[in-house]
Amino acid sequence: MSRPSKIVIASRESRLAMWQAVHVRERLSSLNPGTEVVILGMTTKGDQILDRPLAEIGGKGLFIKELEVAMQEGKAHLAVHSMKDVPMVMPEGFVLAAISARENPRDAFVSNNYNALDDLPAGAIVGTSSLRRESILRAKYPQLVIKSLRGNLDTRLKKLDAGEYDAIILAAAGLIRLGMESRIKSVLTAEQSLPAPGQGALGIELIDGAADMADVVAPLNDPETAHCVKAERAFSRALGGSCQVPLGGYAIIENGQLWLRGFVATADGKEVVSAELRGNPVDDEALGLQLASELRAKGADAILAKLACHA
C-alpha cells in the first residue's frame, strides 16, 4: 500500500474535539512515518446554537455536517467524532471506517458542594443536555430540578462554577481526556445511569469508497470496542434512537460474550422499558436488533408513539 504524502483530519474546534483529533493525528503519524498529518478545525451549527436543546434544533447530525462537506469538497480526508454524537443512520456516501478503543463510557457526577446524586437536597438544580440522563434523573430523583445545559465542556463547567447549577452530569470520558478527572465527584454505575450508545468511543468517518484511506485508518480500529458500539447503535437505530428519544444502550464483552443492556423511556421518566441479553460478539448488530425486539414486546412501541406525538 502506498502511503499518502498528506492526511487532513476535519474536526470541530471545541477543546475536547481537538483533543480527539490530535490523538488520532499522533497515532496516524506514528503509523505513517513521512506523512504530514494536519487538522482542519471547523465550527459546526451544533456548536453555534447553544440556547436550545439539541432535540429542538435537529439533533446530533448538526455536529458533523460541516465536517462531511469538507470531505466531499476534498478539503479533508477523514473526520474524527465522539461516537455518541454520530447519528445512528450514516448519511449516504459516508462510512464509519474505524472505532477506536473506548475510554470510560459512564456518566460522571460533577458538583462543587456535593459528592453524589444521593447527597443532593430536594429542589437542587441538576444540568444535563441529554434526554436520556434527564429521564433517568426524573425517574430516580423526582425531587430534583432538571435544567437544560448546552455548550462545550468548559462552558458547562463555568455555568456550574457560577452557581447556575448545584450539579451537572457529563460523560466521564471527556473529563478524563482533557485531564480534568479531578472534577468528577463520582462516576455513575451502569445500573444508576446506563450510558448512551457509543459513549466514550471515537469514530473515524470517511467518504464511502475511499479504499486508500480505509487502509490507512484500519489499524485504529479496536475490535472489542467496535463490536460493542455496533450492537449499541443497531439497538438504538431499530428504536429510532435520536436526541428526541430518551434511550440508553451499553455493551461490554464479558467471558467471551457480548452483554448488551438497553432501555427506552418517556422524558418524564414515568415509563421505562428495559431488557438485556448476551451473545456472540460477532453477532453484534443482530444482538442489537434482538434487544430492540424484546423492548418492543415489553411495550416500547407505546412509549415511542408518545414521544413521536411530542416531537
Side-chain angles (χ1 to χ4, degrees):
M1 183 187 79
S2 62
R3 299 285 175 193
S5 60
K6 184 175 182 178
I7 300 171
V8 181
I9 301 169
S11 172
R12 293 164 61 198
E13 290 185 316
S14 76
R15 202 152 68 92
L16 181 56
M18 290 302 285
W19 182 96
Q20 294 169 177
V22 168
H23 172 73
V24 170
R25 182 186 69 190
E26 288 174 356
R27 290 197 62 193
L28 288 175
S29 292
S30 66
L31 289 164
N32 300 275
T35 296
E36 182 188 7
V37 187
V38 298
I39 297 169
L40 173 65
M42 306 181 74
T43 301
T44 69
K45 195 170 180 183
D47 296 308
Q48 293 167 338
I49 304 175
L50 299 176
D51 58 346
R52 282 172 284 162
L54 272 181
E56 288 182 12
I57 59 172
K60 295 179 177 180
L62 293 176
F63 286 123
I64 71 172
K65 181 66 181 169
E66 282 86 348
L67 310 186
E68 289 170 341
V69 170
M71 287 190 281
Q72 283 176 322
E73 293 178 348
K75 295 174 183 173
H77 299 98
L78 61 102
V80 181
H81 307 298
S82 171
M83 279 303 303
K84 74 180 177 64
D85 290 336
V86 178
M88 294 304 151
V89 178
M90 293 297 293
E92 193 173 340
F94 295 92
V95 292
L96 278 170
I99 298 173
S100 68
R102 205 170 207 168
E103 183 49 86
N104 188 324
R106 297 186 305 183
D107 287 334
F109 175 84
V110 181
S111 175
N112 293 323
N113 301 309
Y114 303 95
N115 290 319
L117 268 171
D118 291 333
D119 296 342
L120 291 172
I125 298 171
V126 181
T128 176
S129 61
S130 152
L131 277 181
R132 170 186 63 86
R133 292 176 185 140
E134 182 178 338
S135 69
I136 290 169
L137 290 168
R138 291 192 188 282
K140 297 179 180 177
Y141 301 93
Q143 75 279 16
L144 300 178
V145 176
I146 315 303
K147 282 195 175 176
S148 178
L149 173 66
R150 290 285 319 282
N152 62 39
L153 202 53
D154 292 309
T155 300
R156 296 182 196 197
L157 289 168
K158 278 178 190 167
K159 289 180 178 180
L160 171 71
D161 293 342
E164 294 179 38
Y165 303 86
D166 295 295
I168 60 178
I169 310 294
L170 301 168
L175 291 161
I176 293 167
R177 285 177 171 140
L178 289 180
M180 302 165 79
E181 197 167 357
S182 61
R183 296 297 307 251
I184 300 174
K185 285 296 174 68
S186 57
V187 175
L188 306 183
T189 65
E191 289 71 29
Q192 283 178 295
S193 185
L194 197 72
Q199 188 160 312
L202 301 183
I204 311 294
E205 183 183 17
L206 301 178
I207 294 277
D208 193 6
D212 54 342
M213 272 297 129
D215 287 339
V216 167
V217 303
L220 274 55
N221 191 64
D222 180 73
E224 182 168 317
T225 301
H227 283 312
C228 291
V229 171
K230 284 178 182 175
E232 295 161 7
R233 286 174 61 81
F235 162 73
S236 177
R237 194 160 48 240
L239 293 172
S242 70
C243 289
Q244 288 87 351
V245 178
L247 172 153
Y250 177 50
I252 60 172
I253 293 179
E254 187 178 79
N255 300 322
Q257 282 203 310
L258 189 146
W259 175 24
L260 176 62
R261 288 174 273 181
F263 82 87
V264 65
T266 51
D268 61 12
K270 289 180 179 172
E271 295 177 61
V272 181
V273 177
S274 61
E276 61 181 81
L277 52 74
R278 295 171 192 262
N280 190 324
V282 300
D283 298 326
D284 44 31
E285 296 200 338
L287 291 169
L289 296 177
Q290 185 183 335
L291 188 65
S293 295
E294 290 189 17
L295 257 64
R296 288 187 184 278
K298 286 181 158 189
D301 280 338
I303 291 175
L304 294 169
K306 283 182 187 174
L307 293 168
C309 292
H310 292 115

